[in-house]
Amino acid sequence: MTLLALVNSVAAEIGLDPTGVVLTGEPAYRQIAQLLINEGEELSRFHDWRALKTTLTIQGDGETTLFDLPEDMDRLMPGLTLWEYGRPYIPLMQVSDQQFLVLRSAVSSPIRPVWRLVANQFEFWRAPQLGVIINGEYRRANWVVSASTGDAVATWQSDSDTTLLPERLLKLGAIWRFKAAKGFDYSENFRTAQIERAKAVNADHGMPTIRMSESTGGTEVRLKNAYSVIV
């Protein structure tokens, strides 16, 4: 769905007539476009959406220890982050700044590189060997897709731009934010937006694995680790 379609959908919900333009149109429609950005910024940080995840690759040359972070990186994905290609069970260890400095000043180098984040770079010690490929995963900062280039960008550039985030959640968020900005009662719209957000998060990452086992009294199958949601 394009920005124009999103804004027209919100406009219809709040009693405005759809317009043919957004970014150069009436103030109310430009306001809706900005509210979609406000909702998107919060939404993108609320959960690590699959559509925002992407990979990084670092190529070792045996000498370089500093590598620039991807320009569109918001944060690394949690957990064991960097791995040498071909060694999937042995992650590269991230260490604290103090540990890093101690290791770098030691007489001998670690058998495998350790790393830390410094400024806008990865720093390794020792340098990854020539030909070694290091893979990782991070969450992109930008979620607007430019219609002209197809790249993820920070904000709307044209009425034809699209988004990587769930469109329904953006729409619901913009509706309650518009009503709040105008001083109208938005409590029910806010509640609906939060419920739908929780549902979308569950759908995006999947529910936890449910283990099944037989009861001690016979063949009845019972669920363990079942989850309920109160809405």
Side-chain angles (χ1 to χ4, degrees), residues 189-222:
N189 301 101
F190 178 80
R191 179 176 180 273
T192 299
Q194 299 307 301
I195 291 173
E196 292 301 315
R197 179 185 289 191
K199 291 179 180 178
V201 167
N202 278 336
D204 188 68
H205 61 48
M207 294 298 291
T209 301
I210 298 177
R211 297 191 298 273
M212 305 180 70
S213 66
E214 293 185 354
S215 68
T216 56
T219 59
E220 177 188 2
V221 175
R222 297 179 179 177

Side-chain angles (χ1 to χ4, degrees), residues 144-175:
V144 173
V145 180
S146 170
S148 60
T149 66
D151 296 329
V153 294
T155 191
W156 308 116
Q157 298 180 343
S158 76
D159 290 1
S160 300
D161 291 346
T162 55
T163 175
L164 294 172
L165 294 175
E167 295 162 352
R168 173 168 167 76
L169 298 187
L170 287 174
K171 172 185 170 181
L172 293 174
I175 290 172

Side-chain angles (χ1 to χ4, degrees), residues 56-60 67 81-85 92 113 124 128-129 131-136:
L56 63 89
T57 301
I58 296 171
Q59 180 84 46
F67 298 84
T81 309
L82 299 182
W83 306 75
E84 286 186 1
Y85 181 77
L92 296 182
F124 291 87
Q129 294 179 351
V132 168
I133 298 175
I134 297 172
N135 294 320

Side-chain angles (χ1 to χ4, degrees), residues 49 103 121 152 182 214:
W49 303 95
L103 289 170
Q121 294 179 307
K182 298 300 183 183
E214 293 185 354

